[in-house]
Amino acid sequence: QSALTQPASVSGSPGQSITISCTGTSSDVGSYNLVSWYQHHPGKAPKLMIYEGSKRPSGVSNRFSGSKSGNTASLTISGLQAEDEADYYCCSYAGSNTLVFGGGAKLTVL
Amino acid sequence: QVQLVQSGAEVKKTGASVKVSCKASGYRFTDYYIHWVRQAPGQGLEWMGIINPSGGTTSYAQKFQGRVTMTRDTSTSTVSMELSSLRSEDTAVYYCAREWTSRATDYWGQGTLVTVSS
């Protein structure tokens, strides 16, 4: 179970849109529509932003959206705001009741 | 309201074991799986395993097979994670998290710092 691959860092200016990729394999991301995305501010508990690849939990801004193509899932944040600055992690079901996280992407709002 | 309250910070010697507990409240304990996730200093989130509080069945990440044991006590609505043969690389914040749906977690514990040193 190797970690999913995410860019180490992404950045954007307020109001812009950014996309964070999450590349796995045909054994995890490619095989299941069970990718979730978490926002993590240091010192706080991670917050669920997207589940089942593209669904938003109640209370999560519609500026956050998810998608998947093949073995790569993506998180797009539109209309960037200062409070979006955080670490973002993807997580995929990998079969046999196991999960695997991505390495995390640090989002900087310029 | 849903709460997951974890036990306090631990300092352990290399080779020892540590047991972290996670007490659930605000919902029916046996209705939701619990995951354990850790984050080492400067590193990302790492999934360790899952326990079904109803039947006690578990599944562990391959990396931790043979070193981790997850248990539950339905009388106290508590799940526990024990990690043995500790090494310095196990220094991390350990979280429990409730699975809400489709392998996605909604509520997380506050985290427990485990420090391993010789």
Side-chain angles (χ1 to χ4, degrees):
Chain A
Q1 290 166 333
S2 298
L4 308 176
T5 300
Q6 298 183 240
S9 63
V10 294
S11 63
S13 299
Q16 287 187 328
S17 293
I18 62 95
T19 296
I20 300 172
S21 61
C22 168
T23 301
T25 69
S26 57
S27 297
D28 39 63
V29 175
S31 285
Y32 308 97
N33 204 23
L34 294 174
V35 174
S36 49
W37 288 89
Y38 296 87
Q39 177 189 67
H40 192 200
H41 288 105
K44 298 182 69 176
K47 177 184 177 182
L48 178 65
M49 307 304 284
I50 296 287
Y51 67 100
E52 290 182 12
S54 60
K55 297 181 179 179
R56 273 188 312 276
S58 173
V60 171
S61 170
N62 59 10
R63 297 186 298 106
F64 291 83
S65 62
S67 63
K68 190 187 90 165
S69 177
N71 296 338
T72 299
S74 298
L75 173 72
T76 297
I77 308 174
S78 59
L80 267 182
Q81 299 179 0
E83 60 261 36
D84 298 332
E85 187 162 292
D87 296 323
Y88 289 84
Y89 292 90
C90 59
C91 181
S92 176
Y93 183 65
S96 301
N97 243 356
T98 64
L99 299 182
V100 59
F101 276 97
K106 182 178 181 61
L107 170 62
T108 300
V109 180
L110 302 169
Chain B
Q1 71 283 20
V2 174
Q3 279 193 302
L4 297 174
V5 179
Q6 298 182 219
S7 50
E10 302 263 13
V11 178
K12 294 292 182 181
K13 295 285 190 185
T14 302
S17 297
V18 68
K19 191 170 188 177
V20 179
S21 67
C22 170
K23 183 174 176 59
S25 62
Y27 70 97
R28 187 149 74 178
F29 176 66
T30 51
D31 281 354
Y32 296 85
Y33 293 115
I34 294 289
H35 295 257
W36 287 90
V37 176
R38 75 178 188 180
Q39 184 175 35
Q43 304 298 310
L45 299 176
E46 182 174 32
W47 184 80
M48 299 182 69
I50 182 176
I51 182 167
N52 178 354
S54 178
T57 54
T58 56
S59 181
Y60 305 134
Q62 199 169 2
K63 174 176 179 177
F64 300 102
Q65 291 273 5
R67 274 211 306 146
V68 70
T69 303
M70 296 176 188
T71 56
R72 97 293 190 210
D73 182 343
T74 55
S75 68
T76 60
S77 298
T78 300
V79 296
S80 298
M81 184 282 300
E82 184 169 20
L83 189 62
S84 62
S85 303
L86 289 170
R87 31 213 192 227
S88 58
E89 311 89 88
D90 293 318
T91 293
V93 175
Y94 289 77
Y95 293 99
C96 60
R98 187 184 81 158
E99 178 173 317
W100 168 51
T101 183
S102 305
R103 297 297 185 255
T105 54
D106 55 355
Y107 288 92
W108 291 59
Q110 81 276 21
T112 297
L113 175 62
V114 174
T115 304
V116 183
S117 69
S118 53

